[in-house]
C-alpha cells in the first residue's frame, strides 16, 4: 500500500481537513490515527468475511456487516473461518489490544479488522461502515449502489471509557421501539452508555413487581403543561406510559448487542412526587399527593423513615436484578428541604443521628443508599448535589451544575462524569429561538458543545484519570416524541462522541462540520431527524447617517450562498442572491434570508428580522441604569433597527427593578414630530409595562419640551388580557431638536396571583426607540 501520511500532529489538522474532504473519508468520532492510501478497493458482487475460530461475539458482528452489504447493495456475502485473501474482509484477533481498541486496514483489495474483544471488533465494523458511501446504511436495496473502500490504515481507541447520553423518559415517555432505535444510532458513533432517567415527579416509568401502584398510579399524570412553563397553561389529557420488566430486559439485551450499557436512574430523595402519589406513606405529610403535572422542582420529597428505606431497597433490588450495569444512578439532585424542616420526625432523626442541618440529613440518606448499593457489588452515581453535607465513600459524581462538582469530587479522590449544563444540556436551544421549536431555554449551539474539554484546567495526570468521561443530557419537559429527541440530539451528540473518543489535539470545528455533511446523509438513511441550525446567518447593523441602515449578512459556512427577500415573501432558490456587500435599507423592512448549497437546496436555519428605520436608527445613547445582558440586551440595542418580538424575551433590552432613563443625541438639529417607544407587556415572563412614560425633546440639551404619557393601565386600546407590546407614542410640533430623553417608570411588583413571582419586582423590557 502506498501511504500518504496526512495525520501526524495537531499542526497538520488543516491539511488533514483538506485531505479528508478530498478523499471523502468522513469518520465521526475522528480516529486517533489514520493514514490514507491513494488507492481504493471496489468490492465485487461476492465478498467473503473471515472470522477467527471460537471468539465470542465476533460472528454476530460479522452477521451485522453481512446484512448491511447484502441489504443495501445486494452483495452476496459468506462468513467462514478461511484465511485472508483479495476480495475478503478478515476479522483478526489481537489479544494485546485494550478492550475498546481496534485497527482497520484496507489494502490490496481486501480489508482487515483487528481487535481483542467483540466490542473492539464492533467499533472496527462501525468505522468500516463509515468508509462506505452513506447508502450502505439503507434499510432497503439502493439501485446501482457500488461499494468501494479507500485504502487506509486506522489505529484507534477511545480517549474516555464513559461516553454517554442521558434520556429522560419521565417527563415524556418514549416507546421501546424508539429507545432501541436511539441506542442503535448512538452506538454507531461509539457511545457506550445510555443513562436512562426512569423516574421523576411527573411519572414513574418502570414496573416494580413489589409495588404495583408505582405504575398503576405513578405512571399517569392528570394533564401536561402546554407552551413554556412560565405560561402556566395545561392541556386536559391524562398522560402516561411505563416499561414492563420484560420490555426493560428486551432493551437491555438489544443495547448489549451494541455494546451500550444502560445505567438506570431511580431518583431520590427529591423528584419523587409520582412515587408519593402511589404510596403516600413515603412522604412526611402523608399526602394526599398527585403525580405532578408542572415542570420544575417539587417541595414534596421522600421522608427518610425506615419504611422509605425498605421501599427503596426493595425497588433497587428489582432494578439491580434487571440491569447488569456496574453503576446505578440514584439522582440526588434538587431536593428542597421544606418538608424535612416541617417534619417532627426528621427533626428528631437529625438529633438522634447528630446531624446539624437538613443538608447533612440528605447526605446521611444518600450514604445509607450508597452502602446498600455497594453491598450488592455495584457502584452508585449521583448528581453533584450529593457532595453537599459530605460525600458518600463510594460515589461517582455526575457534574451538572457546571464543572465545580466534578472538580470537587476529584479533589476528594472520587470519580466524575462531566455533563455540565453549560455545554452538555441538549434540551437547550441550538439556534435562534425565533425559528427553533420551543425549548426550556438556554443557548447551546453546536460549536459550543464541540468546544468542551472535560478535563478541567490545571488537573494533574493522576487527577485526570478520575474523569471517566462525558455525557449529553436530553431532558424532555419540552420534547414530546422520538423525532424531537432526535432533533435535539443530532448533531450535537456527534460533537460529544468526538469529545469522548478523539484526540483533543486534533480538534478542528471546521473539519468536524465538513465531515457532518456525510453524517447527515447517514442519518437520512437511518431515518433519524436532526437539526442543521449550526448553519445559520448572522447579521450586523451599521448606521449610514442618512436615515438608512446597512445590514451585513454572513453565513456560518462560507461555501453556502445567501438568498434574501425584503418584501415579506418566503425565500426560495429564485430569490435575490446576496452579494456580500451589505443591504442598504431606508424604510421599515421584513428581511428574510436563507442558505443554499451548491445543488440549490435550502439548508440550515432560516433568518427573519423585522427592521425599523427612522431618525434614531444606528445612533448611540446613554442609559441611567445599565441593561442586563442576560435578557438579550446589547449595546445600542434600542436603536439597532431590530424590534423586540412578542414572547421572544431575548430580543428585548431588559432592566430589572429600576426605572428606565435614556438620553439620545441626534447629532444635529432635526425636525421631530413623533417619538415612539415600545415596551413588552408579558406578566407570565415577569415583565410588566411601565406605569408612566415621559418623553422630552430639546434643542440645546438644557430646556426640554416634555410629554407625559399614561402607562398601559389607562390605555383603552391595551389590556392585561391582550398582553403583548405596548407602544408609547409622544407627538411634537416638528420643530428642530437635537436631544431626546425618555423616562419610564418600572411597573412595580408582580401581582399576587403570579406563578412563582408573586410580590417580587418586575422587569421593564424596552425596544425600540423610533423617531420620526
Ligand atoms: C435540572 S439536571 C434537572 C432536571 C431538569 C433539567 C432541565 C438535573 C440533575 N436536574 O430535573 O429536567 O434541569 O434542564
Amino acid at each position: 500500500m502506498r501511504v500518504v501520511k496526512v495525520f501526524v500532529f495537531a499542526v497538520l489538522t488543516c491539511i488533514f481537513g483538506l485531505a479528508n474532504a478530498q478523499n471523502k473519508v468522513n469518520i465521526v468520532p475522528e480516529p486517533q490515527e489514520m493514514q490514507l492510501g491513494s488507492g481504493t478497493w471496489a468490492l465485487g458482487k461476492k465478498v467473503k468475511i473471515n472470522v477467527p475460530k471460537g471468539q465470542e461475539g465476533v460472528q454476530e458482528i460479522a452477521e451485522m456487516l453481512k446484512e448491511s452489504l447484502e441489504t443495501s447493495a445486494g452483495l452476496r456475502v459468506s462468513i467462514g473461518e478461511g484465511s485472508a485473501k483479495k476480495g475478503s474482509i478478515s476479522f483478526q484477533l489481537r489479544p494485546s489490544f485494550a478492550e475498546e481498541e481496534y485497527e482497520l486496514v484496507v489494502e490490496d483489495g481486501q480489508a482487515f479488522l483487528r481487535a481483542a474483544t467483540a466490542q473492539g471488533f464492533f467499533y472496527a465494523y462501525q468505522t468500516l461502515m463509515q468508509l462506505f458511501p452513506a447508502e450502505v446504511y439503507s434499510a432497503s436495496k439502493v439501485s446501482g449502489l457500488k461499494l468501494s473502500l479507500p485504502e487506509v490504515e486506522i489505529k484507534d481507541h477511545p480517549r474516555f471509557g464513559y461516553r454517554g447520553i442521558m434520556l429522560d423518559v419521565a417527563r415524556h415517555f418514549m416507546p421501546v421501539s424508539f429507545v432501541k432505535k436511539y441506542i442503535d444510532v448512538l452506538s454507531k458513533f461509539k457511545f457506550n452508555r445510555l443513562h436512562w432517567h426512569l423516574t421523576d415527579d411527573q411519572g414513574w416509568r418502570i414496573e416494580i413487581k413489589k409495588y404495583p401502584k408505582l405504575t398503576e398510579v405513578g405512571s399517569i399524570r392528570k394533564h401536561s403543561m402546554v407552551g413554556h412553563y412560565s405560561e402556566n397553561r395545561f392541556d386536559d389529557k391524562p398522560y402516561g406510559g411505563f416499561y414492563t420488566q420484560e420490555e426493560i430486559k428486551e432493551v437491555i439485551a438489544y443495547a448489549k448487542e451494541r455494546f451500550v450499557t444502560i445505567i438506570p436512574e431511580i431518583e431520590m430523595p427529591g423528584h419523587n412526587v409520582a412515587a408519593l402519589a402511589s404510596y403516600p406513606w413515603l412522604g412526611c405529610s402523608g399526602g394526599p399527593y398527585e403525580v405532578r403535572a408542572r415542570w420544575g422542582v417539587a417541595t414534596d420529597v421522600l421522608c427518610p423513615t425506615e419504611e422509605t428505606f425498605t421501599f427503596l431497597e426493595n425497588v433497587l433490588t428489582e432494578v439491580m436484578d434487571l440491569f447488569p450495569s456496574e453503576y446505578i444512578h440514584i439522582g440526588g439532585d434538587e431536593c428542597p428541604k421544606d418538608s424535612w424542616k416541617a417534619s417532627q420526625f426528621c427533626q428528631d432523626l437529625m438529633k438522634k443521628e447528630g446531624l446539624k442541618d437538613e443538608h447533612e440529613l440528605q447526605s446521611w440518606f444518600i450514604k445509607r443508599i450508597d452502602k446498600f448499593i455497594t453491598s450488592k457489588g455495584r457502584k452508585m452515581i449521583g448528581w453533584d448535589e450529593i457532595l453537599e453535607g459530605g460525600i458518600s465513600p463510594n460515589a461517582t459524581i455526575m457534574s451538572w451544575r457546571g464543572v465545580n462538582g466534578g472538580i470537587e469530587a476529584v479533589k476528594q479522590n472520587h470519580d466524575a462524569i462531566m455533563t455540565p449544563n453549560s455545554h452538555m444540556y441538549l434540551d437547550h436551544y441550538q439556534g435562534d429561538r425565533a425559528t427553533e421549536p420551543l425549548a426550556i431555554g438556554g443557548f447551546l449551539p453546536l460549536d459550543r458543545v464541540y468546544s468542551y474539554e472535560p478535563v478541567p484546567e490545571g488537573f494533574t495526570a493522576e487527577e485526570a484519570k478520575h474523569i471517566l468521561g462525558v455525557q449529553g443530557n436530553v431532558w424532555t419537559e419540552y420534547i414530546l416524541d422520538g423525532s424531537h429527541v432526535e432533533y435535539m440530539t443530532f448533531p450535537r451528540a456527534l460533537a460529544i462522541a468526538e469529545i469522548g473518543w478523539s484526540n483533543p489535539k486534533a480538534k478542528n470545528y471546521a473539519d468536524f462540520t465538513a465531515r457532518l455533511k456525510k453524517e447527515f446523509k447517514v442519518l437520512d438513511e437511518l431515518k433519524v431527524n436532526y437539526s442543521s441550525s449550526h448553519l445559520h446567518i448572522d447579521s450586523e447593523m451599521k448606521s449610514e447617517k442618512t436615515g438608512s441602515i446597512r445590514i451585513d449578512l454572513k453565513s456560518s459556512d462560507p461555501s453556502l450562498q445567501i438568498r434574501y427577500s425584503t418584501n415579506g415573501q418566503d425565500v426560495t432558490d429564485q430569490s435575490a442572491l446576496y452579494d456580500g456587500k451589505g443591504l442598504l435599507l431606508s424604510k421599515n423592512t421584513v428581511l428574510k434570508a436563507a442558505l443554499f448549497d451548491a445543488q440549490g437546496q435550502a439548508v440550515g436555519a432560516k433568518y427573519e428580522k423585522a427592521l425599523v428605520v427612522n431618525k434614531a436608527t444606528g445612533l448611540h445613547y446613554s442609559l441611567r441604569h445599565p441593561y442586563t445582558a442576560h435578557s438579550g440586551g446589547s449595546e445600542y440595542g434600542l436603536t439597532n433597527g431590530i424590534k423586540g418580538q412578542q414572547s421572544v424575551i431575548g430580543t428585548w433590552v431588559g432592566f430589572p427593578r429600576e426605572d428606565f432613563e435614556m438620553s439620545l443625541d441626534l447629532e444635529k438639529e432635526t425636525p421631530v414630530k413623533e417619538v415612539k417607544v415600545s415596551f413588552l407587556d408579558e406578566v407570565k415572563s415577569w415583565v410588566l409595562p411601565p406605569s408612566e412614560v415621559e418623553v422630552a425633546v430639546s434643542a440645546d440639551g438644557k430646556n426640554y419640551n416634555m410629554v407625559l404619557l399614561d402607562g398601559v393601565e389607562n390605555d383603552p386600546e391595551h389590556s392585561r388580557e391582550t398582553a403583548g407590546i405596548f407602544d408609547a407614542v409622544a407627538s411634537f410640533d416638528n420643530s428642530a431638536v437635537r436631544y431626546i430623553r425618555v423616562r419610564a417608570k418600572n411597573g412595580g411588583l408582580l401581582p399576587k396571583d403570579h406563578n412563582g413571582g408573586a410580590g417580587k419586582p418586575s422587569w421593564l423590557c424596552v425596544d425600540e426607540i423610533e423617531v420620526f
Side-chain angles (χ1 to χ4, degrees):
M1 170 164 103
R2 206 161 60 80
V3 162
V4 186
K5 274 227 177 198
V6 287
F7 179 57
V8 189
F9 294 113
V11 273
L12 288 181
T13 51
C14 288
I15 303 171
F16 173 54
L18 259 180
N20 251 352
Q22 282 161 5
N23 292 287
K24 303 215 171 16
V25 171
N26 295 277
I27 301 167
V28 172
E30 181 72 47
Q32 298 284 344
E33 275 179 60
M34 179 162 61
Q35 295 172 351
L36 267 180
S38 53
T40 52
W41 167 33
L43 278 68
K45 269 268 148 230
K46 277 199 211 161
V47 173
K48 177 99 197 294
I49 300 180
N50 304 310
V51 291
K53 236 191 232 150
Q55 174 67 7
E56 208 193 303
V58 179
Q59 179 76 24
E60 286 79 355
I61 295 159
E63 300 280 356
M64 292 178 191
L65 175 58
K66 172 181 155 88
E67 196 187 323
S68 308
L69 302 182
E70 290 187 342
T71 310
S72 62
L75 303 191
R76 277 188 289 133
V77 181
S78 58
I79 302 176
E81 289 175 2
S83 50
K85 53 172 170 299
K86 257 192 198 312
S88 69
I89 299 172
S90 303
F91 286 66
Q92 298 180 328
L93 266 183
R94 287 291 182 271
S96 65
F97 281 17
E99 200 178 356
E100 298 190 293
E101 182 180 359
Y102 73 91
E103 220 174 80
L104 171 61
V105 176
V106 180
E107 64 183 0
D108 297 334
Q110 59 179 316
F112 300 90
L113 286 72
R114 296 174 184 137
T117 65
Q119 190 171 6
F121 281 117
F122 181 74
Y123 294 143
Y125 154 63
Q126 295 303 349
T127 300
L128 181 73
M129 288 289 283
Q130 292 198 29
L131 292 176
F132 286 119
E135 289 84 354
V136 77
Y137 290 91
S138 171
S140 56
K141 179 133 200 276
V142 181
S143 76
L145 176 62
K146 295 264 184 296
L147 293 181
S148 66
L149 291 168
E151 285 198 343
V152 72
E153 186 178 331
I154 294 169
K155 290 182 198 288
D156 204 10
H157 63 270
R159 179 178 177 206
F160 293 107
Y162 187 113
R163 305 177 301 278
I165 293 288
M166 187 222 68
L167 180 63
D168 167 17
V169 293
R171 275 54 177 270
H172 283 103
F173 180 71
M174 302 294 155
V176 167
S177 57
F178 171 73
V179 180
K180 283 182 170 178
K181 178 188 179 195
Y182 196 55
I183 290 168
D184 184 49
V185 178
L186 291 170
S187 74
K188 293 184 192 313
F189 299 100
K190 305 188 177 91
F191 279 98
N192 62 1
R193 296 288 191 289
L194 180 79
H195 165 180
W196 210 0
H197 185 80
L198 289 161
T199 70
D200 214 304
D201 297 316
Q202 296 82 4
W204 184 284
R205 308 273 174 236
I206 173 173
E207 177 192 26
I208 300 296
K209 303 266 194 211
K210 209 168 193 126
Y211 301 106
K213 282 193 185 162
L214 285 174
T215 42
E216 279 164 26
V217 176
S219 76
I220 301 162
R221 60 176 179 257
K222 186 167 82 189
H223 56 194
S224 303
M225 297 200 89
V226 282
H228 195 263
Y229 176 84
S230 53
E231 294 170 42
N232 201 21
R233 288 190 293 129
F234 295 85
D235 64 14
D236 53 9
K237 291 188 289 282
Y239 183 92
F242 69 91
Y243 308 106
T244 63
Q245 294 203 350
E246 281 315 302
E247 289 172 321
I248 297 266
K249 285 184 203 159
E250 184 185 327
V251 174
I252 293 169
Y254 182 89
K256 189 172 174 222
E257 286 166 16
R258 287 154 184 79
F259 303 90
V260 173
T261 302
I262 304 187
I263 297 174
E265 180 182 354
I266 305 295
E267 271 269 17
M268 65 189 77
H271 284 286
N272 250 299
V273 180
L276 297 182
S278 312
Y279 297 102
W281 45 264
L282 289 168
C284 285
S285 75
Y289 305 100
E290 251 184 30
V291 180
R292 186 174 160 97
R294 198 184 293 284
W295 313 134
V297 178
T299 48
D300 287 319
V301 303
L302 295 178
C303 207
T305 61
E306 283 311 307
E307 290 77 10
T308 297
F309 283 108
T310 305
F311 166 85
L312 289 172
E313 291 182 4
N314 287 334
V315 168
L316 287 171
T317 299
E318 286 194 35
V319 167
M320 288 189 279
D321 284 346
L322 286 167
F323 290 88
S325 164
E326 180 186 22
Y327 287 106
I328 302 294
H329 202 304
I330 54 83
D333 61 310
E334 299 179 325
C335 178
K337 306 298 183 292
D338 311 50
S339 75
W340 292 356
K341 282 195 177 124
S343 148
Q344 193 51 51
F345 169 80
C346 293
Q347 297 307 312
D348 292 346
L349 178 64
M350 283 161 58
K351 249 189 233 131
K352 184 172 146 233
E353 297 291 337
L355 306 169
K356 81 167 187 298
D357 58 16
E358 289 75 14
H359 291 283
E360 288 200 354
L361 180 55
Q362 152 129 354
S363 164
W364 177 85
F365 187 115
I366 301 289
K367 279 180 184 152
R368 222 176 128 162
I369 295 295
D370 183 11
K371 219 170 170 181
F372 178 72
I373 291 176
T374 305
S375 78
K376 302 284 171 202
R378 308 294 182 96
K379 289 185 181 164
M380 184 184 84
I381 303 182
W383 298 110
D384 56 45
E385 281 93 334
I386 70 167
L387 286 163
E388 293 164 9
I391 188 170
S392 291
N394 302 305
T396 293
I397 298 296
M398 218 169 236
S399 190
W400 76 277
R401 295 174 303 174
V403 296
N404 289 339
I407 295 174
E408 188 50 40
V410 172
K411 296 283 175 209
Q412 297 184 33
N413 224 10
H414 288 254
D415 289 340
I417 295 155
M418 303 307 276
T419 180
N421 52 4
S422 55
H423 292 79
M424 293 287 123
Y425 267 47
L426 304 186
D427 58 335
H428 291 181
Y429 281 103
Q430 55 192 316
D432 186 351
R433 281 170 196 233
T435 52
E436 288 291 324
L438 179 70
I440 192 165
F443 182 54
L444 184 58
L446 183 64
D447 55 350
R448 186 171 165 83
V449 177
Y450 189 80
S451 74
Y452 182 59
E453 168 47 47
V455 176
E457 230 170 89
F459 261 32
T460 63
E462 218 26 64
E463 287 169 332
K465 282 192 197 143
H466 282 297
I467 303 292
L468 302 183
V470 277
Q471 177 172 289
N473 289 345
V474 183
W475 298 102
T476 57
E477 288 96 331
Y478 297 88
I479 306 180
L480 275 61
D481 58 24
S483 167
H484 194 179
V485 169
E486 291 169 359
Y487 180 84
M488 300 306 275
T489 305
F490 301 105
R492 289 185 291 185
L494 301 191
I496 299 171
E498 202 137 312
I499 294 165
W501 185 285
S502 308
N503 182 350
K505 291 197 187 118
K507 245 189 190 184
N508 180 331
Y509 183 68
D511 178 64
F512 171 69
T513 51
R515 280 178 285 130
L516 271 191
K517 287 174 194 160
K518 158 83 184 291
E519 304 313 329
F520 282 175
K521 287 192 193 150
V522 171
L523 294 173
D524 284 334
E525 292 296 344
L526 298 171
K527 309 270 183 294
V528 172
N529 191 14
Y530 56 85
S531 161
S532 52
S533 301
H534 70 289
L535 302 172
H536 63 271
I537 296 168
D538 286 319
S539 59
E540 202 180 318
M541 249 58 68
K542 293 205 178 86
S543 158
E544 284 291 315
K545 308 264 153 110
T546 53
S548 61
I549 49 169
R550 206 184 84 194
I551 174 159
D552 288 318
L553 300 178
K554 202 171 153 241
S555 166
S556 61
D557 177 342
S559 76
L560 300 170
Q561 287 187 327
I562 299 175
R563 290 182 183 272
Y564 68 95
S565 79
T566 51
N567 56 6
Q569 271 174 12
D570 285 339
V571 179
T572 69
D573 58 351
Q574 301 302 308
S575 303
L577 191 63
Y578 178 69
D579 64 4
K581 294 196 191 113
L583 301 171
L584 206 60
L585 303 175
S586 50
K587 61 176 184 354
N588 292 0
T589 304
V590 175
L591 176 62
K592 294 187 181 181
L595 293 166
F596 290 84
D597 65 15
Q599 286 75 45
Q601 285 288 325
V603 291
K606 301 256 177 295
Y607 172 97
E608 184 174 335
K609 291 238 165 6
L611 300 163
V612 293
V613 183
N614 56 80
K615 291 171 179 167
T617 309
L619 293 180
H620 292 185
Y621 52 81
S622 61
L623 291 171
R624 187 181 171 97
H625 301 293
Y627 67 89
T628 306
H630 140 93
S631 67
S634 58
E635 193 154 36
Y636 311 120
L638 295 173
T639 52
N640 65 357
I642 306 171
K643 275 194 83 145
Q645 282 167 266
Q646 198 174 328
S647 290
V648 188
I649 296 295
T651 58
W652 293 83
V653 184
F655 300 84
R657 285 164 203 270
E658 280 125 353
D659 296 341
F660 163 80
E661 183 174 329
M662 65 110 68
S663 315
L664 177 73
D665 180 354
L666 295 172
E667 294 179 1
K668 60 176 189 294
E669 293 216 345
T670 312
V672 168
K673 62 173 188 295
E674 193 178 287
V675 176
K676 183 166 138 193
V677 192
S678 302
F679 299 90
L680 180 63
D681 177 7
E682 199 169 280
V683 66
K684 67 171 201 220
S685 307
W686 301 48
V687 180
L688 292 183
S691 55
E692 199 177 278
V693 183
E694 176 207 287
V695 182
V697 296
S698 163
D700 56 8
K702 288 188 198 100
N703 303 302
Y704 277 89
N705 176 11
M706 200 165 84
V707 173
L708 200 63
L709 299 160
D710 277 337
V712 68
E713 311 296 349
N714 302 319
D715 179 353
E717 300 284 296
H718 193 94
S719 73
R720 188 49 57 69
E721 285 68 46
T722 59
I725 293 172
F726 167 59
D727 294 325
V729 182
S731 300
F732 298 91
D733 61 6
N734 213 20
S735 49
V737 295
R738 178 163 170 184
Y739 303 96
I740 298 180
R741 191 185 67 209
V742 181
R743 288 175 173 153
K745 246 190 161 23
N746 178 289
L749 301 180
L750 293 163
K752 278 198 201 65
D753 59 354
H754 191 273
N755 171 27
K760 294 196 176 138
S762 65
W763 286 64
L764 197 56
C765 282
V766 192
D767 203 22
E768 167 121 339
I769 310 296
E770 296 166 82
V771 177
F772 303 99

